[in-house]
Amino acid sequence: MDFQAYFQTRLEALKGEGNYRVFADLDRRCGAFPQAAHHKDGAVRDVTVWCNNDYLGMGQHPAVVGAMVDAVQAHGTGAGGTRNIGGNTVHHLDLERELADLHGKERALLFTSGYVSNWAALSTLGAQIPNAVILSDEKNHASMIEGIRHSRADKVLWKHNDWRDLDRKLHAVGDRPKIVAFESVYSMDGDIAPIREIVEVCEAHGALSYIDEVHAVGMYGAHGGGVSEERGLAHRIDLIEGTLGKAFGVVGGYITGTTALVDFIRSYASGFIFTTALPPAVAVAAATSIRHLKASGFERAGQRANVAKLRAALDRAGIPHIANESHIIPVIIGDPVKCRMICDILLADWGIYVQPINYPTVPKGTERLRITPGPLHSDADIAHLVTALASLWRQCALAHAVA
């Protein structure tokens, strides 16, 4: 087989479909975000970023940056290996205590990313619990899907956010051990799960409840514990999974739960045992960010105000966007080529960076711009974005929203 020719043919097919991924070369500047430097063909120009998941700007918060710098000076740049061999540092343990407290749980466990924490936890639960079946919301993230697949446990899909369908399917499973996996905020449509109803169904059937809060931690609840905290339900959920790489502005993933549940995953999950631990400086910075957001509602309030401002401005301009309760604003284009073209024009002509979201991240025909306003976007930034989108809507003959 001519491997190189095969690779090239497949890449050309992606390009022809409009689904080939092109990444902008960006240089975030501490203290200036959401402005960043865009590098292309030897030229550098300032752009405004509208699609970053550092939702609250904590990646450049002076306290978080200072904590990481001090920790690097004190402890070096790396962990030196797995915790299984190199041991814990006091900073890993301190961060895990902060995370357990954030969600009102007995214990937490760190992983290198939110993807890995989902993959490792779900694969371990499904593989190690005899005769287990995992019931997964049909729109769950790829990391959850991969974890379930790797576990080789039986899987049942239930209709997105449909707790009645979940109830029917849990009843059909019978007396087998059951794990229900779902998200709080779904990142592409921005919709929020009916968590109370899902938890009540899980409790009625004796199922273990597993919620992914990666797009909600830091963002919702009085202390940033996510939608489960905001709705007073965290104590009724068996396992809460989250990330340090979005609203907390650092990197890493984690799970929280009872001591026995977390220790079980720590003891059996290959995704924890056999991979290098997070650097101590990352743990220190993350703990600093969490402590700050536990006490401060300033960033969350600013972010929500800007979400409301942008939605209102889009409505006035007739730019259609999916209505939801979250901080994520999806603007549907519905065509991969137009979606890529719009993003290219926004970057080249308007100094606006929004990455196109195409298949397989979203179904074909639902290609979109995924806009995430933050507290550091100015009123002028919002006005400039809406002016640019309105111009492109006319230029590309896209449908306007009906008033």
Side-chain angles (χ1 to χ4, degrees):
M1 180 177 186
D2 186 342
F3 290 104
Q4 303 310 313
Y6 174 76
F7 299 151
Q8 196 60 45
T9 298
R10 293 292 300 272
L11 291 171
E12 292 303 322
L14 282 176
K15 292 176 182 177
E17 296 165 359
N19 291 322
Y20 181 73
R21 297 172 187 265
V22 179
F23 303 143
D25 296 337
L26 298 177
D27 182 13
R28 284 175 47 147
R29 294 168 177 163
C30 190
F33 193 75
Q35 274 64 50
H38 176 227
H39 296 252
K40 186 175 182 181
D41 300 328
V44 181
R45 61 177 301 206
D46 287 340
V47 298
T48 302
V49 179
W50 279 100
C51 57
N52 195 277
N53 286 346
D54 184 359
Y55 292 129
L56 301 177
M58 293 303 293
Q60 63 171 4
H61 191 283
V64 177
V65 173
M68 180 176 280
V69 171
D70 290 345
V72 167
Q73 293 288 346
H75 308 292
T77 57
T82 68
R83 290 167 71 177
N84 186 52
I85 292 175
N88 295 315
T89 72
V90 294
H91 306 297
H92 292 116
L93 297 176
D94 178 58
L95 175 54
E96 287 173 344
R97 283 190 292 268
E98 284 291 339
L99 289 165
D101 178 73
L102 176 68
H103 295 292
K105 299 299 183 186
E106 294 176 356
R107 192 164 172 183
L109 185 67
L110 288 171
F111 292 86
T112 51
S113 72
Y115 190 105
V116 173
S117 55
N118 266 333
W119 175 85
L122 283 167
S123 65
T124 300
L125 292 170
Q128 296 294 332
I129 297 174
N131 201 32
V133 58
I134 302 177
L135 295 97
S136 176
D137 184 289
E138 64 183 357
K139 288 193 176 182
N140 275 343
H141 189 262
S143 58
M144 304 174 81
I145 295 168
E146 283 299 313
I148 296 167
R149 180 183 295 130
H150 185 75
S151 76
R152 299 187 180 180
D154 289 340
K155 177 181 73 172
V156 174
L157 293 180
W158 46 286
K159 294 177 183 177
H160 178 53
N161 281 346
D162 187 339
W163 58 269
R164 293 180 179 85
D165 187 51
L166 172 63
D167 185 43
R168 289 189 292 268
K169 288 177 175 173
L170 279 166
H171 181 76
V173 167
D175 293 333
R176 297 174 62 183
K178 298 172 283 288
I179 302 162
V180 173
F182 64 106
E183 301 179 42
S184 60
V185 178
Y186 286 83
S187 63
M188 290 300 115
D189 288 343
D191 53 332
I192 297 178
I195 300 175
R196 181 178 299 279
E197 290 84 354
I198 292 171
V199 169
E200 288 174 350
V201 167
C202 289
E203 291 171 344
H205 290 275
L208 186 146
S209 51
Y210 182 117
I211 190 170
D212 172 321
E213 287 259 40
V214 297
H215 289 278
V217 290
M219 305 286 292
Y220 300 88
H223 306 95
V227 182
S228 57
E229 183 198 17
E230 184 176 70
R231 299 186 178 180
L233 296 166
H235 66 289
R236 296 173 64 181
I237 299 172
D238 293 302
L239 189 153
I240 298 177
E241 183 267 351
T243 184
L244 305 170
K246 293 183 171 59
F248 292 128
V250 194
V251 67
Y254 64 89
I255 60 166
T256 65
T258 64
T259 297
L261 171 59
V262 173
D263 199 19
F264 178 80
I265 292 172
R266 183 194 70 89
S267 299
Y268 285 98
S270 63
F272 173 80
I273 296 170
F274 297 107
T275 193
T276 298
L278 290 172
V282 169
V284 170
T288 302
S289 182
I290 293 165
R291 290 186 188 109
H292 177 87
L293 290 175
K294 279 180 179 178
S296 173
F298 176 79
E299 292 81 6
R300 288 187 285 273
Q303 193 267 349
R304 292 188 183 192
N306 276 347
V307 169
K309 287 178 185 177
L310 179 55
R311 285 191 184 278
L314 290 172
D315 288 340
R316 288 193 296 270
I319 306 298
H321 55 97
I322 296 178
N324 58 51
E325 300 176 72
S326 79
H327 57 284
I328 296 167
I329 304 179
V331 176
I332 303 298
I333 307 299
D335 178 277
V337 176
K338 280 188 176 181
C339 195
R340 175 79 262 175
M341 179 182 66
I342 286 170
C343 292
D344 288 345
I345 295 172
L346 284 171
L347 187 59
D349 296 351
W350 296 86
I352 292 170
Y353 174 64
V354 180
Q355 183 73 355
I357 306 295
N358 291 344
Y359 177 83
T361 306
V362 294
K364 291 182 179 179
T366 69
E367 293 81 6
R368 66 196 63 186
L369 312 180
R370 178 185 176 275
I371 301 173
T372 54
L376 301 175
H377 285 104
S378 67
D379 289 349
D381 291 333
I382 293 172
H384 184 60
L385 172 64
V386 174
T387 298
L389 289 174
S391 173
L392 287 173
W393 240 248
R394 293 189 296 270
Q395 183 177 333
C396 297
L398 295 169
H400 283 72
V402 178

